[in-house]
Amino acid sequence: MSQWVIKGLRTGVKSTRYPRVEETAAGTSPGLPAATKLPAELAQLLVARCPANALELAPTGVDVNLRRCIHCLRCVRGTNSPMGWERNYEWATAVSGGNDQKRQFGPAFDRSVHILVVDTGDCGACLNEVRQLNNPYYNMHRLGFFLTPTPRHADVLLVVGALTEHMRVPLRKAYDAMPSPKRVVAVGACALSGGIFGRSFMCAGGVAELLPVDVEVPGNPPPPLAILHGLLVSVDRKPPARLHRGVSDSAGNASG
Amino acid sequence: MISMGLLLVIVLALCAAGVLVPLAIEERRTPAIVGWFGACAAGVLLCFSGASLFADTPFHATLWSIPSLATLTLSLDRLSALFLFISGLVLLPGSIFAAGNLHRYTGRYSLGAFSVQFFALFATLVLIPLSADAVSFLMLWELMSILIYLLVNYEDEVEEHTRAGYLMLAVGEAGTLLIALAFIVLANNGPLEFVAMKLGGTALGEYARWAVFLLAFFGFGVKAGLIPVNFWLPQAYAAAPDAFVPVLAGATLNLGLYGIVRVNGDLLPVAMIGPGLVALIVGSVTALLGILYATTQSDLKTMLAHSSIENAGIITAALGAGFIFVASNHPSLAAIAFAAAFYHTANHSIYKALLFFATGAVDSNTGTRNIDRLGGLIKTMPLTALFFLVGALSIAALPPFNGFVSEWLTLQTMLQSAGLASTGVKIVFALCGAILALTAALAVTCFVKAFAMSFLGMSRSESAAQARPARASATVPMAFLALLCFVLGVAPTYVIPVLDGAIAPIAEQARAADALVPPFFAGNVHHGELPASFVADFHALGAQVGQSVMPGRGLVVLHRGGKANPVVFAMSTFYMAIVLALMLVVTFAVVRLILVRERSVVRRAVWDGGIRRLLPEMTYTGTGFSNPVRVIFEAVFRPTTVEDTRETVGKHFRAVIRRTRGENHVLDRLVLNPIADAALWVSNGFARMHHGFLNAYVLYGLIALIVALLIARFSS
Amino acid sequence: MHRELQKVLDEVEARWNSRVQLSQEDGAESAYRLECGPQQLPEICNWLFSDLHYSFGGLIVEQRTRWELRYVFYGGREAAWLQVLTHLSPSEDRVPSISRLVHAADWHEREVEDLFGLVFEGHPRLGDFVLHDDAWHEGVAPMRKSFIASEPVLHREPDLTRKPRQIVEEAGAFLMPIGPIYAAATGPVHFQLETVGEDVIRAQPRLFYAYRGLEKIAEGRRAEDVLLIAERISGTSAFAHSLAVCQAVEHMCHMEVPPRARALRIFVAELERLRHHVAAIEGICESTGLAVASAQAAILEEDLLRLSCVLTGHRYLFGLGTFGGLTINLDDSACNRAATQVREVAEKLSVLERMLSMSSSFLDRLEEVGHVSTGEAGDFGLVGPIARASGVSRDMRKAQPYSGYDQIEFEVPDESEGDGYARLRMFFREAAQSALIISTVAKKIPGGRFRVPEVSFRPGAALGWVEAPRGAALHWIRLGEEGVVDRYRIITPSFANWHGFRLAAENFAFQDFPIILATFALSVHENDR
């Protein structure tokens, strides 16, 4: 067994220093569309191009509703006037009216937050990104986040996937079995709005139809850093972002 | 005060009344007779034997004299008093329980017959320890064997019961035969009264001593449940009616142990180490086999029967250790060993009777004894569950209950072998100690399974889900015995001096109390074994706490070995109980008053992974729980037939997977089948003589005549 | 035409001359259609499967003017594709089952019964498969044209007396339920394990908790949108599934894919396969508790994800495939940089393999555990690396080459032991082969276009296939007017492999169960669709 100890020691430290330091390595995030200033006809063409209705027509360009973006990349590829693009990853937003809003998690949860991951009809990519959170690059244990298989020990319920009819009962039971205080984090476009699976006879239009959601992390799939940001938002260790990016907002403008 | 003789007469008169009265009254009043007369008789018996045990009141009665055989005598010494007292403790609640339980049989079986048999057995249980000569002893023993056969076979409409009873009777008769032979060898052509046998026994040679030991050991071992003569016990206990089996396990099993102690401790004290080793080894192996089979049983009664075998094994092992110490001239160590054995005998009777009461209550109210069909009874039968739990904790030797004290003392005895001279004996002690430790661990497994699968979790059958609580005639006896379990567990230092009276004669006058329970020190006389510096340390430990409050000796069981083995062991269940109680109370107070003040406690359904509904089929069965034990000890269990059939539709659609395993008890495989095969072989050989030719038979007669004449010629 | 195929066709003629109709698929020289009546199905399918050793690809059911049931068989390169086609009139709904003879069709028939309402006579286990009995009424049949996908459905009250089927009859046997929420981060699947305490006697997985009705919601959408759905069947093999759909449509619309696009498609597909296998290795190490090894594999997986993101703009290669090529050009220098990084990953992977082969406590958990014999693997129609570990070594890249795989030199590794260690070795060796293919392709990527300039759809139906990381995947698409999808059938490798999972899990101890599950590298999402 000593070969493994030596191997581990020689591999060294690979963890990112996020959230103290911005992570700048390449390939950690696919980015998201940014609200873009465009003339009206081009704007209309772009809005029609989005198959998920994530782009909205604004007076001066195109607004983005990140909740619906499914990363098909059609707004930047195959068109002469592509959307602006943000390369960051801090996308999570806090939703008011969730769980226990008056009760903070408190200092007891600073270094010990247990997360139950429930997959309610995911494609597998979001779940795989969640699994990456435990790899040496992201290492969420150093931030005090741990995965647990049972809701009795869980503080945060992380839901991925569009809510299928078959998973309604298990999800509800898992939520009910968690003791207070608890938070619900919905990860991925499917969990926020149903994604490409949309509202159908099998899928709901997002997890919020069944549970009160506290934090929403958009993306398809959101990269591990975005999910990490979402978890930090859920325990009030990071400020949330906004899901709706408007052209007329002071931040996040880009031209085509 | 009332004389002892009068007390005995009252007991026997009540028994006689219990035999005669039911013949005269209506059947439905019989349970009340059983209850009242039995309880009163047991109470008087407790007074009778208690007078001897606590106050050393003697009793001796010479009855009729049978010419050329013996004078029938009854005599009470503290050894007999101890066993009588234990029987009384079991018979008192046992009669009340039987009275309540008999209602099940109205209409199907004769309740009067039960009463007659029960009280006749009661009388024999009283008289056998009192019997002081071989003739009355054997007559009473035989009567007892027949009566327990009748009682075991009470529900004779069930075929298995008849078979079990018959087997018990047959093996019992063989045992009686061995006992009779033992007495004959012991008497050595002299008188058959015990007093005379004891005097004459000193003249016996080594072979005769071995013969007496082995005959008595295995003869009494039948009733005591020792291998290899205990193969009748599980079926018989399972067949016996619920009203009777507590008495069977709590009183008649002790008679076998009484016999072993009487013959080998009193009548012919062991002078060689060999017999003690035999007892030690047989006891340890019995214990291990008993608990192994108990752990893998799914029928509560059979499990408790195997557990009785285990406990009998532990007692015998302690007795064996005691015999070895007596033979090696370590009387104080012998005293400790016998203290352990007698304490365990008392404990076993009490908690086994308690467990059988609880099992009987469960059986009456749910109709099943199969652990795999019970479950969830703690909600519907809470008191029964509580008392079963007390019994289970006791038998699993957990403080602060009584099983802990006797098991602890037994294991400590095994560790005292360092004082012995021979290395071989020390190795045997070490191995047997290890086997007993393994047994203790398996006992915990067994009773965790028994309690958890029967009382906790979800109900696995309709009848278990709809059980009614046990009636008072069951809960009151259980409460009495549970209280006794607790008292005997918390106050061992008061029990050991009482046992002393029984131990002293067989351990060459050494006193267990002296070896084990030092009195509160300051200025006391009997601490010759403890030097002053030691006393000071002990003081610092707080062992003097309670001196001005408690009467008698200290609250700590303590032994300090001699020069050869200067080891000190000490324990106090009294202090343990106090500490446990304090911890419980303090934790409860801290949690309830400090931690959980503002938050509410919310109750939710069991987390089941998100399935729609958790069904009883999805919970662990007792068989599943004990499967690892079965797998680890596969060499012992060795299932004989494992039938594995699969029915399929097409080649790959499976309809049914059926697996059955037949098991052959290891004793059957290794001991009984070879003996039976040998006997069959011999008799087949002789059968060849029975071919039917008249001429040959005449020839046989001629040969026999010639041989007889030759013998007569050459022996005159 | 190849000799093998000719022999087969001749034999068909000889046996069933008057009762079947043999014709060639339009435009495909190695695909034949065998039309017969429903009653002859079991005999013909059994002959193809058992006697001629064709692989059973799947069952495709379409509701057109009448019911069309298409049983797809394929052989090696020479034996090609054989679709056994039978028709039922619209009012009929019974057809003989072939599952008793061709067990690989078992789950296909159960799925069709649940979703279409067709009854397969002789199948002993219909019902409660895709649509869980405790939520759905009988006879809902959502795949029928009369069912509207966007309308909500009334669900039934749960039946409180319903008990799961138990087939083990032994004293003390009980059911151990696991899931659907059971481990730290896994897809939802419920296991009903029947046991007597130590060994798992019967392991029955209950799937389709993640059933999203993809085949149904694809109907009526445009082909480009269905491409999005194909990517999201299973995000970890997104490119492979989208490639299969592209190939089906390209075949149907006679699109000639430029050589550069074909080479780049191979590059990206092998990158995906490499990343999937590394993730599988990580899962196996994690299940045995060998933390350092699983961390090493996780590092490599993250490296590959970042590499994919830099190269193609998305960590899971979404949005890359399109009809007639790729959506963007991956220029040669970027490909070469990626190939260099892949070579480094491959070296570290071989070091990891060597270290694992010397850890005896790790191998103890895998050797002789979870054994699947060659015969069973064949009977159940297992595909992919786990089937090849049991000696069933058909690989679509060699058996029915596509996208230019026939011009590349590579090996398909072969094992026959069928235990957990064989499957682990298979993942390592296939990963090494994928790295090799990436290097080979990167050295000489043809120049030219990376996509077809004009895409024009025409109505028709076609089958597209790929060797996805987990095994053979088949996609059947029927386009109507203007590129609107009329029927989309998805047959995934996980569907076949979940079917055969119980062969490995049964008769082993409970402690081995998670390890056996990890060695199968199954995807719940890919199966459930």
Side-chain angles (χ1 to χ4, degrees):
Chain A
M1 276 300 122
S2 58
Q3 57 169 351
W4 293 112
V5 175
I6 295 171
K7 177 84 176 164
L9 290 173
R10 284 167 84 177
T11 311
V13 175
K14 291 222 179 264
S15 303
T16 174
R17 288 187 293 156
Y18 179 78
R20 279 189 302 123
V21 174
E22 278 284 308
E23 177 62 61
T24 50
T28 54
S29 169
L32 274 180
T36 319
K37 268 202 177 63
L38 281 176
E41 322 80 53
L42 294 176
Q44 268 176 348
L45 279 175
L46 259 187
V47 168
R49 224 174 137 69
C50 177
N53 297 322
L55 301 179
E56 292 161 5
L57 210 49
T60 46
V62 182
D63 284 350
V64 182
N65 181 359
L66 289 180
R67 181 182 269 122
R68 312 184 74 98
C69 175
I70 59 167
H71 269 113
C72 63
L73 300 169
R74 287 187 188 170
C75 51
V76 288
R77 291 180 184 172
T79 164
N80 292 327
S81 54
M83 281 291 283
W85 203 250
E86 300 176 8
R87 277 254 161 237
N88 59 4
Y89 44 81
E90 294 194 326
W91 303 332
T93 185
V95 174
S96 62
N99 296 286
D100 285 331
Q101 287 298 309
K102 289 193 287 286
R103 291 256 299 279
Q104 304 288 48
F105 258 150
F109 294 92
D110 254 357
R111 282 271 162 247
S112 171
V113 177
H114 287 255
I115 302 165
L116 174 70
V117 178
V118 177
D119 176 342
T120 60
D122 185 41
C123 68
C126 290
L127 195 66
N128 206 37
E129 296 292 58
V130 170
R131 290 172 59 93
Q132 299 311 315
L133 283 174
N134 259 333
N135 74 17
Y137 280 109
Y138 302 109
N139 191 13
M140 64 175 181
H141 288 181
R142 73 196 153 92
L143 299 173
F145 292 114
F146 302 93
L147 291 182
T148 172
T150 165
R152 290 278 192 251
H153 299 166
D155 310 303
V156 171
L157 178 63
L158 197 154
V159 187
V160 291
L163 182 60
T164 61
E165 288 299 316
H166 291 153
M167 281 303 286
R168 273 183 182 258
V169 167
L171 182 62
R172 186 79 224 179
K173 282 184 123 173
Y175 178 77
D176 287 339
M178 285 169 66
S180 292
K182 52 190 170 186
R183 300 273 190 271
V184 176
V185 176
V187 167
C190 298
L192 301 190
S193 61
I196 192 73
F197 312 126
R199 198 171 260 120
S200 74
F201 70 104
M202 274 311 286
C203 290
V207 173
E209 290 192 5
L210 187 66
L211 301 177
V213 174
D214 297 290
V215 175
E216 296 184 331
V217 183
N220 193 323
L225 288 172
I227 304 176
L228 209 50
H229 176 249
L231 289 172
L232 291 166
V233 168
S234 75
V235 291
D236 306 312
R237 277 154 67 177
K238 268 267 177 184
R242 281 184 341 270
L243 276 189
H244 191 276
R245 307 293 167 89
V247 183
S248 43
D249 296 342
S250 48
N253 273 3
S255 47
Chain B
M1 283 292 292
I2 314 181
S3 75
M4 298 286 277
L6 186 56
L7 285 173
L8 181 60
V9 166
I10 294 176
V11 173
L12 292 174
L14 281 169
C15 291
V19 169
L20 295 170
V21 169
L23 298 175
I25 60 166
E26 334 168 356
E27 183 113 313
R28 66 179 177 85
R29 301 273 210 83
T30 311
I33 299 289
V34 170
W36 281 108
F37 284 12
C40 293
V44 177
L45 177 63
L46 284 172
C47 296
F48 176 70
S49 49
S52 173
L53 196 57
F54 296 104
D56 206 8
T57 321
F59 171 74
H60 187 91
T62 317
L63 303 174
W64 318 281
S65 161
I66 303 181
S68 82
L69 270 183
T71 316
L72 303 180
T73 5
L74 296 177
S75 139
L76 177 67
D77 65 356
R78 283 168 104 165
L79 179 63
S80 310
L82 176 65
F83 280 88
L84 281 175
F85 195 78
I86 297 172
S87 299
L89 283 178
V90 170
L91 281 165
L92 176 54
S95 309
I96 303 174
F97 180 79
N101 205 285
L102 278 178
H103 291 284
R104 291 174 74 185
Y105 301 115
T106 36
R108 285 187 6 234
Y109 299 104
S110 160
L111 299 183
F114 184 89
S115 178
V116 168
Q117 292 156 6
F118 184 78
F119 281 103
L121 180 68
F122 198 130
T124 57
L125 285 174
V126 170
L127 290 172
I128 288 178
L130 289 175
S131 153
D133 68 282
V135 175
S136 62
F137 189 95
L138 284 171
M139 283 191 333
L140 288 166
W141 192 267
E142 189 65 30
L143 185 60
M144 176 204 57
S145 299
I146 295 173
L147 284 169
I148 62 175
Y149 162 71
L150 288 173
L151 279 165
V152 162
N153 201 21
Y154 183 65
E155 293 174 85
D156 51 9
E157 282 169 15
V158 182
E159 198 190 315
E160 283 123 30
H161 293 180
T162 316
R163 238 181 300 140
Y166 185 72
L167 184 63
M168 178 178 77
L169 187 62
V171 184
E173 290 307 306
T176 310
L177 191 61
L178 290 177
I179 296 169
L181 281 173
F183 280 140
I184 291 174
V185 175
L186 181 55
N188 201 14
N189 285 328
L192 288 172
E193 289 84 12
F194 283 174
V195 177
M197 282 164 135
K198 187 167 174 175
L199 285 173
T202 48
L204 285 178
E206 194 183 320
Y207 290 119
R209 283 174 182 266
W210 265 107
V212 169
F213 172 78
L214 287 174
L215 289 168
F217 187 73
F218 289 109
F220 285 113
V222 170
K223 280 290 174 293
L226 302 175
I227 60 166
V229 287
N230 62 1
F231 50 92
W232 58 273
L233 206 152
Q235 293 111 292
Y237 277 40
D242 288 334
F244 171 63
V245 70
V247 172
L248 184 59
T252 48
L253 190 142
N254 292 347
L255 289 179
L257 296 166
Y258 167 76
I260 294 176
V261 178
R262 177 61 75 189
V263 169
N264 297 304
D266 185 35
L267 295 182
L268 186 67
V270 279
M272 309 167 284
I273 295 191
L277 278 178
V278 169
L280 178 60
I281 295 171
V282 167
S284 309
V285 178
T286 307
L288 182 62
L289 282 181
I291 197 61
L292 273 181
Y293 277 96
T295 312
T296 53
Q297 283 294 325
S298 50
D299 175 3
L300 272 175
K301 242 168 132 184
T302 322
M303 178 197 79
L304 291 174
H306 282 288
S307 168
S308 280
I309 295 176
E310 177 226 349
N311 281 290
I314 295 175
I315 298 168
T316 312
L319 286 175
F323 292 149
I324 294 177
F325 287 131
V326 164
S328 328
N329 271 318
H330 289 97
S332 56
L333 292 179
I336 298 175
F338 289 127
F342 291 151
Y343 211 126
H344 203 81
T345 311
N347 289 344
H348 168 251
S349 298
I350 292 170
Y351 53 56
K352 193 45 66 72
L354 169 60
L355 287 169
F356 272 117
F357 287 160
T359 308
V362 166
D363 193 9
S364 318
N365 291 18
T366 62
T368 177
R369 299 188 313 244
N370 187 350
I371 295 179
D372 289 340
R373 314 244 337 119
L374 293 170
L377 292 176
I378 196 171
K379 297 184 207 82
T380 47
M381 301 176 76
L383 282 177
T384 312
L386 172 66
F387 295 131
F388 191 100
L389 180 61
V390 171
L393 289 175
S394 308
I395 201 170
L398 293 170
F401 294 106
N402 53 1
F404 175 73
V405 179
S406 55
E407 188 86 35
W408 187 84
L409 277 174
T410 310
L411 287 173
Q412 289 293 356
T413 313
M414 296 296 148
L415 294 174
Q416 295 309 303
S417 61
L420 294 170
S422 152
T423 325
V425 174
K426 285 196 241 198
I427 292 177
V428 171
F429 259 88
L431 284 176
C432 292
I435 293 178
L436 287 178
L438 174 62
T439 307
L442 284 173
V444 176
T445 313
C446 178
F447 282 92
V448 164
K449 164 189 157 186
F451 180 71
M453 294 300 153
S454 312
F455 291 93
L456 303 178
M458 302 175 76
S459 303
R460 276 179 223 98
S461 64
E462 270 306 300
S463 45
Q466 288 163 0
R468 282 163 306 117
R471 31 171 32 150
S473 65
T475 41
V476 168
M478 286 198 273
F480 172 69
L481 289 179
L483 186 62
L484 267 183
C485 281
F486 181 69
V487 167
L488 284 180
V490 162
T493 54
Y494 290 90
V495 174
I496 292 177
V498 170
L499 294 177
D500 252 343
I503 292 169
I506 55 179
E508 295 174 16
Q509 300 311 316
R511 301 199 146 262
D514 288 339
L516 282 177
V517 190
F520 288 119
F521 301 116
N524 214 315
V525 181
H526 293 289
H527 56 241
E529 291 193 11
L530 304 164
S533 58
F534 193 74
V535 173
D537 290 334
F538 214 54
H539 225 300
L541 281 175
Q544 295 286 74
V545 172
Q547 181 188 10
S548 50
V549 179
M550 302 279 176
R553 291 172 170 252
L555 293 169
V556 178
V557 175
L558 162 84
H559 175 74
R560 185 171 178 278
K563 276 209 184 41
N565 185 24
V567 153
V568 177
F569 60 78
M571 128 342 241
S572 168
T573 42
F574 191 83
Y575 291 146
M576 252 192 249
I578 292 178
V579 169
L580 278 172
L582 270 178
M583 280 168 61
L584 273 172
V585 166
V586 168
T587 314
F588 185 77
V590 165
V591 169
R592 265 329 226 168
L593 301 177
I594 300 177
L595 289 182
V596 193
R597 203 143 24 137
E598 30 163 72
R599 296 172 221 189
S600 56
V601 173
V602 178
R603 289 208 154 83
R604 294 255 193 259
V606 174
W607 171 244
D608 49 18
I611 56 179
R612 207 167 258 276
R613 210 161 56 97
L614 189 65
L615 297 167
E617 286 81 359
M618 296 178 181
T619 56
Y620 249 83
T621 56
T623 316
F625 186 86
S626 57
N627 216 13
V629 173
R630 192 189 299 263
V631 167
I632 293 172
F633 289 99
E634 182 110 21
V636 171
F637 290 112
R638 207 162 297 185
T640 50
T641 54
V642 179
E643 193 191 301
D644 190 343
T645 56
R646 277 151 203 268
E647 289 171 17
T648 52
V649 174
K651 194 172 153 208
H652 293 286
F653 288 109
R654 294 164 310 171
V656 168
I657 299 177
R658 200 172 288 122
R659 292 162 37 135
T660 52
R661 47 181 359 122
E663 267 174 20
N664 213 352
H665 197 285
V666 65
L667 277 185
D668 286 349
R669 273 196 336 260
L670 296 179
V671 174
L672 297 171
N673 285 347
I675 293 177
D677 288 343
L680 276 176
W681 182 79
V682 167
S683 55
N684 276 338
F686 279 116
R688 269 184 240 121
M689 286 172 39
H690 296 226
H691 38 58
F693 288 122
L694 197 56
N695 299 345
Y697 292 163
V698 172
L699 184 58
Y700 294 155
L702 184 60
I703 293 175
L705 186 59
I706 294 176
V707 168
L709 287 172
L710 285 173
I711 290 175
R713 168 80 170 80
F714 284 111
S715 66
S716 56
Chain C
M1 188 194 304
H2 302 281
R3 258 181 299 121
E4 280 283 329
L5 189 54
Q6 186 61 53
K7 269 195 347 207
V8 172
L9 298 178
D10 289 341
E11 200 163 339
V12 168
E13 291 278 337
R15 281 193 187 215
W16 294 289
N17 190 5
S18 53
R19 292 171 288 153
V20 308
Q21 204 183 345
L22 195 56
S23 50
Q24 193 174 4
E25 283 290 320
D26 340 296
E29 68 164 45
S30 61
Y32 277 78
R33 194 168 51 222
L34 212 155
E35 288 183 48
C36 67
Q39 301 309 319
Q40 295 148 329
L41 273 178
E43 200 188 342
I44 295 179
C45 294
N46 185 31
W47 170 69
L48 285 174
F49 189 71
S50 311
D51 297 343
L52 299 186
H53 301 293
Y54 270 73
S55 296
F56 179 65
L59 169 57
I60 304 170
V61 172
E62 290 186 77
Q63 185 185 16
R64 304 177 74 202
T65 48
R66 35 183 196 157
W67 290 103
E68 282 184 15
L69 280 76
R70 201 176 293 262
Y71 295 76
V72 178
F73 290 87
Y74 61 94
R77 197 122 180 226
E78 293 74 24
W81 294 91
L82 217 54
Q83 295 176 10
V84 180
L85 184 59
T86 190
H87 298 279
L88 295 174
S89 67
S91 54
E92 273 181 274
D93 61 352
R94 308 189 82 85
V95 70
S97 157
I98 67 170
S99 299
R100 292 191 194 204
L101 304 165
V102 180
H103 198 65
D106 173 17
W107 276 19
H108 290 267
E109 292 185 344
R110 292 180 69 179
E111 182 184 349
V112 168
E113 192 268 340
D114 251 10
L115 296 179
F116 281 95
L118 297 178
V119 174
F120 290 87
E121 289 170 331
H123 193 295
R125 294 272 173 276
L126 295 176
D128 188 36
F129 185 59
V130 175
L131 302 177
H132 293 173
D133 261 1
D134 42 8
W136 296 81
H137 289 282
E138 284 300 311
V140 172
M143 285 299 293
R144 290 202 179 206
K145 296 285 185 197
S146 50
F147 186 94
I148 311 287
S150 52
E151 275 179 15
V153 177
L154 181 67
H155 292 296
R156 66 187 292 182
E157 282 304 311
D159 179 5
L160 292 176
T161 58
R162 184 177 171 274
K163 285 186 206 261
R165 198 167 67 93
Q166 282 180 274
I167 65 173
V168 174
E169 289 179 10
E170 186 177 350
F174 62 99
L175 251 184
M176 174 85 138
I178 296 185
I181 300 172
Y182 65 98
T186 51
V189 54
H190 175 65
F191 291 103
Q192 288 169 354
L193 304 179
E194 283 190 61
T195 174
V196 194
E198 275 291 292
D199 281 1
V200 174
I201 304 176
R202 171 184 178 236
Q204 190 64 25
R206 191 172 197 233
L207 291 149
F208 296 101
Y209 280 91
Y211 174 62
R212 293 152 277 161
L214 297 185
E215 291 184 9
K216 183 71 181 181
I217 64 176
E219 289 178 4
R221 293 205 192 193
R222 296 198 343 264
E224 298 93 30
D225 293 341
V226 169
L227 205 51
L228 294 176
I229 292 179
E231 283 178 344
R232 290 157 183 79
I233 298 168
S234 164
T236 44
S237 46
F239 186 74
H241 289 295
S242 71
L243 181 57
V245 172
C246 290
Q247 290 184 158
V249 170
E250 285 153 11
H251 178 82
M252 189 193 326
C253 305
H254 302 300
M255 279 185 239
E256 184 72 36
V257 178
R260 182 180 180 83
R262 285 148 58 114
L264 287 177
R265 278 177 168 180
I266 294 181
F267 190 95
V268 175
E270 292 306 310
L271 182 60
E272 188 175 60
R273 188 186 319 278
L274 176 62
R275 190 241 304 140
H276 169 270
H277 285 0
V278 171
I281 292 165
E282 194 250 332
I284 297 174
C285 295
E286 193 185 337
S287 71
T288 55
L290 194 54
V292 178
S294 101
Q296 296 291 324
I299 291 174
L300 296 177
E301 185 186 355
E302 177 69 17
D303 286 341
L304 289 170
L305 283 169
R306 290 187 184 185
L307 161 63
S308 308
C309 188
V310 167
L311 184 64
T312 68
H314 193 278
R315 284 160 64 95
Y316 291 88
L317 311 167
F318 284 15
L320 191 57
T322 188
F323 303 117
L326 299 178
T327 51
I328 51 168
N329 186 22
L330 310 175
D331 61 40
D332 289 9
S333 54
C335 290
N336 277 312
R337 272 197 303 277
T340 316
Q341 284 179 284
V342 164
R343 251 194 304 279
E344 284 166 19
V345 166
E347 271 163 31
K348 292 188 192 153
L349 208 57
S350 78
V351 169
L352 184 63
E353 181 178 13
R354 211 166 359 101
M355 289 178 73
L356 283 176
S357 67
M358 296 192 295
S359 307
S360 54
S361 60
F362 171 74
L363 295 180
D364 271 346
R365 304 304 307 269
L366 291 178
E367 282 183 308
E368 319 251 326
V369 168
H371 179 256
V372 179
S373 69
T374 313
E376 286 172 332
D379 280 349
F380 275 68
L382 300 186
V383 290
I386 60 156
R388 292 192 278 275
S390 289
V392 175
S393 53
R394 215 156 242 174
D395 183 328
M396 281 306 200
R397 296 174 291 171
K398 293 278 193 197
Q400 302 288 340
Y402 53 94
S403 190
Y405 270 105
D406 43 357
Q407 275 134 29
I408 307 217
E409 287 266 333
F410 69 100
E411 259 178 33
V412 171
D414 198 358
E415 304 269 353
S416 59
E417 275 148 35
D419 62 357
Y421 188 37
R423 292 191 279 273
L424 177 67
R425 285 199 305 274
M426 186 55 81
F427 285 127
F428 272 113
R429 291 171 66 185
E430 285 200 2
Q433 287 299 314
S434 291
L436 188 65
I437 297 175
I438 291 174
S439 288
T440 315
V441 168
K443 286 200 192 86
K444 46 180 194 69
I445 309 179
R449 295 177 176 281
F450 62 90
R451 64 183 296 177
V452 161
E454 263 310 305
V455 172
S456 62
F457 297 110
R458 51 174 104 160
L463 186 69
W465 62 88
V466 285
E467 180 71 16
R470 296 184 189 94
L474 302 170
H475 291 244
W476 169 268
I477 273 216
R478 182 177 293 278
L479 291 181
E481 297 298 327
E482 289 165 26
V484 169
V485 170
D486 192 46
R487 172 79 172 106
Y488 178 36
R489 170 77 175 127
I490 313 168
I491 299 170
T492 56
S494 290
F495 191 66
N497 290 342
W498 268 112
H499 184 214
F501 172 65
R502 69 161 174 88
L503 296 167
E506 290 177 352
N507 298 319
F508 285 99
F510 267 103
Q511 296 89 313
D512 296 327
F513 186 79
I515 299 175
I516 300 174
L517 189 56
T519 59
F520 259 65
L522 294 163
S523 164
V524 166
H525 319 97
E526 202 181 38
N527 172 82
D528 289 356
R529 292 159 286 141

